[in-house]
Amino acid sequence: MARPLVIAVTAALAGSAALNVYQWRHWGQKAGPAGGGERAAGDGERTEGGGPQTGSGGPQTASGGPQTAGGGQERKAGAPAPMAATCEGQLVALSEKLAGAEQKLEERLTFDEKFERSPPAPEAEARLTPMVAKVFEKAPDGYSFDVECRGEICSVVVTAPEKGDFDWSMAIQQEVFNKEGRGHAMYGGTPSHDPVTKAALLVSKTQVQLNGSDTADGIPVLQALVTQLRQSGAVARCAAVDTTPGYLSLQLWLDGEAGAITYEVGGTLASTAGGRCVLAALDQALAATTIPPRTRTAVLYHTIELPPQ
C-alpha cells in the first residue's frame, strides 16, 4: 500500500524541479546584460523562430540598419538631407526648395505658356510696335500686323497674301528680334481669306522674348571683334602665307547667358593654310575680347576674302 504514496511524492518532486528550472531560466534572461546582472550559464545560445542568436548580438538600430559613430542611423547615398530640428528651419528649407522648383519650371515653359501666364505689358507693346512697323514700310499692299505683349513675351501676328513675295519673316528677325530679343519663335502660317475681296490670305504668328531695359546689345561686341581682326593686319599676312584665292564664311555667336563667343566656319579656304592662319588670328582676338555683363545673345555673319579686296 505504500506504492501510491511513493508515486505521489515523486510526482511532486518532479513538478517542483521543473518549476525551479523554469524560474531559473527566466531569471537568467531578465538578469542578463540589459538588466545589469550576469547572464546565467548555459544561456549563451537560444533559438527563437528557428534562428540561432549569440549572446553578443551585435549593435542594431530600431530598424535593423547600421549605426553611425554618433549613434544615428547612417544616411544612404542619394537620400534626402535630414530636416531641420525646428519648424522655422523646416519652413525656410521648404521655401528655398519651392523657389528653386518654380525657377526651373519657368525656364522650361514655352513662349505660349509664358505669354498666357503673364499680365499685359503695354510699355513693351509701345516699344516694339514702331520697330515692327518700320519693317512693313517696305511691304506692298495687302500686308498687316498686330502686336500684343504680356510680361517679357510679345506676339506679332502677320496677315499676308497667301502667295506674297515680301520676305517679312527674315527682315523682322534681323532688324527687330535679334536686336531686341533674347530668343524668338516662328510658327507656320494658317490659311485664311478676306470675305470682302475674296483674297487668299496666310496668317502667321511669331513670338519674341524681350531683353530687359538694362541689357546691352551683343551685335556691337561682335562687330568690334571683326574690326579688331581686320585692323590687326592678320588677313594681309595670311594672304602672303597662301596665295590661293578664296573666302571664309564666319558665323559668330555670342551667348549672353554663358558670356562666351563661338564661331562656325565655311567657305572655300576653311581647310587651307591661309584659312587656318586667319582662324588662328581670330582665336587670339577672341581671347582678348571682354563681354560686358548682361549682354544679350547675338549672331553676326561675316565674310573674309583672300587676298583682301
Side-chain angles (χ1 to χ4, degrees):
M1 300 297 293
R3 180 169 297 179
L5 178 61
V6 174
I7 294 174
V9 172
T10 303
L13 290 174
S16 176
L19 178 61
N20 287 336
V21 171
Y22 174 83
Q23 291 178 342
W24 172 75
R25 289 181 61 84
H26 281 261
W27 176 87
Q29 293 174 6
K30 293 180 179 179
E38 295 181 358
R39 183 176 298 275
D43 199 30
E45 291 186 1
R46 57 191 175 90
T47 300
E48 293 182 358
Q53 292 184 341
T54 63
S56 58
Q60 289 184 338
T61 63
S63 60
Q67 290 183 326
T68 61
Q73 189 169 358
E74 183 179 359
R75 187 164 65 92
K76 296 181 179 179
M83 296 292 287
T86 64
C87 292
E88 291 80 2
Q90 293 180 17
L91 286 174
V92 170
L94 290 174
S95 298
E96 292 175 351
K97 188 174 182 180
L98 177 61
E102 289 177 343
Q103 178 64 31
K104 289 182 179 179
L105 175 62
E106 186 69 22
E107 292 172 356
R108 286 165 173 74
L109 293 177
T110 65
F111 285 171
D112 263 333
E113 291 170 334
K114 291 179 180 180
F115 184 85
E116 295 298 330
R117 291 161 59 102
S118 302
E123 293 182 358
E125 288 181 16
R127 168 186 165 191
L128 192 67
T129 299
M131 302 177 188
V132 177
K134 188 174 181 179
V135 170
F136 284 92
E137 286 178 355
K138 309 168 188 176
D141 293 339
Y143 288 81
S144 62
F145 67 90
D146 180 68
V147 178
E148 181 182 2
C149 297
R150 295 186 185 180
E152 296 181 336
I153 306 299
C154 288
S155 180
V156 181
V157 178
V158 177
T159 301
E162 186 174 13
K163 298 187 180 299
D165 56 0
F166 176 63
D167 191 2
W168 62 267
S169 62
M170 182 60 69
I172 201 172
Q173 290 181 73
Q174 292 179 344
E175 299 176 24
V176 182
F177 292 170
N178 289 345
K179 295 180 179 180
E180 300 298 324
R182 52 191 175 98
H184 62 270
M186 312 292 290
Y187 302 92
T190 302
S192 184
H193 73 287
D194 188 324
V196 177
T197 65
K198 311 302 181 184
L201 303 174
L202 197 64
V203 180
S204 303
K205 182 178 74 172
T206 66
Q207 290 179 314
V208 60
Q209 183 168 2
L210 297 178
N211 294 297
S213 58
D214 58 344
T215 304
D217 189 0
I219 290 294
V221 177
L222 297 178
Q223 290 174 335
L225 175 64
V226 170
T227 299
Q228 178 185 352
L229 178 64
R230 288 192 171 279
Q231 291 179 349
S232 68
V235 176
R237 290 196 304 270
C238 294
V241 171
D242 185 353
T243 58
T244 304
Y247 64 93
L248 289 174
S249 294
L250 297 175
Q251 180 197 58
L252 301 170
W253 176 271
L254 189 155
D255 187 336
E257 293 186 4
I261 299 175
T262 58
Y263 62 86
E264 298 291 338
V265 60
T268 61
L269 301 180
S271 58
T272 65
R276 290 193 297 269
C277 175
V278 173
L279 295 178
L282 176 60
D283 290 335
Q284 292 179 355
L286 281 174
T289 298
T290 300
I291 301 174
R294 298 188 62 80
T295 299
R296 58 177 172 259
T297 297
V299 180
L300 180 68
Y301 295 89
H302 187 69
T303 300
I304 297 178
E305 295 185 355
L306 293 179
Q309 302 297 316

